[in-house]
Amino acid sequence: MSGWPAMLLKIARKTGRNAAENLQLVLPVLAAAEGVVDLQQVSFRPERIEAEGHCLISVEDSALGALSGLFLNLPTSFIIEQLDSPHPVAFKEVAEDTILEAKAYIQSLRANGQLEMAPGETGQAEAGELEGMASPLLGQPTHYVETDETGRRILRRRGFN
């Protein structure tokens, strides 16, 4: 059923007097189907729903080397406007400064030996940089790269996922 998000919204809005409660139950399901990892702040209006959350976003930059294309959990906002459309959820662009901060974060993790690389994975840092190795001063790496079932390489923090 290709239009299931729209159908779910329509049922939620038209079922009895509990439309607002129904939408609160349905919205996390729709958000998850669109890739939103963590749904926050939702505001309901008669023909529009606005929400903020975190979504896995690919961070692309040749300066990241083999880490280019790594997915990070970044803040995003989205709206549901076209309630009868097969794809009612529309994402706003992730702010450019958020992307720049994500790139700097990846580079910092790599440069400080806090990003564990899989054995045999390319993308080793330039000579003199630590990458994915335990440091006597810094301890074990705090982050690692996980490949999900769809092939996305996702940055994960140890102990917090």
Side-chain angles (χ1 to χ4, degrees), residues 5-22:
M7 186 58 69
L8 192 56
L9 275 173
K10 187 179 267 188
I11 291 169
R13 292 183 68 224
K14 308 250 183 204
T15 306
R17 292 181 294 237
N18 300 330
E21 290 174 28
N22 293 343

Side-chain angles (χ1 to χ4, degrees), residues 102-125:
K103 290 176 189 177
Y105 185 60
I106 294 169
Q107 290 171 325
S108 174
L109 288 173
R110 185 175 82 176
N112 290 298
Q114 293 302 305
L115 181 57
E116 180 180 300
M117 302 297 287
E121 183 167 334
T122 60
Q124 296 301 319

Side-chain angles (χ1 to χ4, degrees), residues 65-135:
L67 296 174
S68 181
L70 196 61
F71 282 81
L72 274 73
N73 192 1
L74 299 176
T76 188
S77 58
F78 62 96
I79 56 174
I80 298 176
E81 273 189 299
Q82 303 164 343
L83 297 174
D84 294 328
S85 161
H87 302 289
V89 179
F91 285 92
K92 294 181 182 177
E93 294 283 326
V94 174
E96 183 60 31
D97 60 336
T98 301
I99 298 293
L100 291 174
E101 287 177 23
K103 290 176 189 177
Y105 185 60
I106 294 169
Q107 290 171 325
S108 174
L109 288 173
R110 185 175 82 176
N112 290 298
Q114 293 302 305
L115 181 57
E116 180 180 300
M117 302 297 287
E121 183 167 334
T122 60
Q124 296 301 319
E126 287 77 33
E129 280 187 321
L130 294 173
E131 182 171 348
M133 297 180 289
S135 162

